Amino acid sequence: MSISLWKILAAIALLLILPWSAFAHVQGGQAAGFITGLEHPWSGLDHVLAMIAVGLWGAQLGNPAIWILPVTFPIVMSLGAMMGLLGIPVPGIEIGIALSAILLGIMVLGEVRPKLAFAATLVGFFAIFHGHAHGTELPAGQSGQLYSIGFVMATGCLHGLGILVGVIHRWPMGKLILRGSGGLITCMGILFLWQALA
């Protein structure tokens, strides 16, 4: 094995060790913030389905949307979370989250192929609502920074899950299953909207 390869492996190992070393020095309440943030996107089916839909849609659209959409969502979501943490109001949060499931599900169901800028803007718009919901639900006494890192990482995992499932798009039967999944997400979004308006 060449020396340069050893250096690369050592750098990777260092990167894997450093975050855990950092967490070992934070106080219990702050570390809890990271865990809470990591769990938060999984705590609501509306969040889970919308974030998976982003990955599914990106997989349908292919390059470069397959990575631009899952990158756009967490970035804009972080801005929404900051607004929530700062107490900046955004109207219709639950309605916006429900609409995100409906419209993103429709995009997957119809295998809609808009221009990349439109797709990224649509995903980013709905990310504000999800981020704001995360931000306003930061438990008292926990680190907002670690909480944010946690829910951004969890969101990335959900997007990745959607992309992995979306790989079936390569086969004719897979395309049908994927579009059916979009229909299911849309139906669930309608249910979320009904609950938000009730």
Side-chain angles (χ1 to χ4, degrees):
M1 186 178 296
S2 66
I3 295 176
S4 59
L5 183 56
W6 279 113
K7 288 180 179 177
I8 293 171
L9 291 175
I12 293 172
L14 187 62
L15 287 173
L16 290 172
I17 292 170
L18 279 177
W20 297 108
S21 300
F23 289 133
H25 294 290
V26 299
Q27 297 176 1
Q30 292 176 329
F34 173 75
I35 299 300
T36 304
L38 202 60
E39 293 174 344
H40 198 266
W42 300 85
S43 64
L45 189 58
D46 48 359
H47 291 300
V48 171
L49 292 180
M51 292 170 190
I52 287 178
V54 171
L56 294 177
W57 194 27
Q60 281 182 325
L61 296 176
N63 279 320
I66 195 170
W67 61 269
I68 286 182
L69 300 188
V71 168
T72 299
F73 193 97
I75 290 175
V76 182
M77 183 182 70
S78 299
L79 296 177
M82 187 179 296
M83 294 170 67
L85 288 168
L86 295 174
I88 300 173
V90 173
I93 292 297
E94 294 303 321
I95 293 174
I97 291 173
L99 288 176
S100 72
I102 293 173
L103 290 181
L104 290 172
I106 288 174
M107 296 298 147
V108 176
L109 172 63
E111 203 172 335
V112 180
R113 295 182 175 276
K115 289 185 177 179
L116 181 60
F118 177 85
T121 301
L122 182 69
V123 165
F125 174 73
F126 286 125
I128 293 174
F129 296 94
H130 288 269
H132 195 278
H134 294 322
T136 54
E137 295 175 14
L138 169 68
Q142 295 189 3
S143 166
Q145 184 179 9
L146 290 178
Y147 175 76
S148 300
I149 292 172
F151 71 68
V152 167
M153 288 179 63
T155 298
C157 289
L158 287 167
H159 290 332
L161 180 60
I163 291 171
L164 283 176
V165 174
V167 170
I168 63 174
H169 180 256
R170 297 177 181 179
W171 298 280
M173 182 58 71
K175 287 185 178 182
L176 290 175
I177 294 173
L178 211 55
R179 296 181 71 170
S181 301
L184 178 62
I185 292 171
T186 300
C187 291
M188 291 302 297
I190 293 171
L191 175 63
F192 301 146
L193 183 61
W194 177 73
Q195 291 174 335
L197 295 174

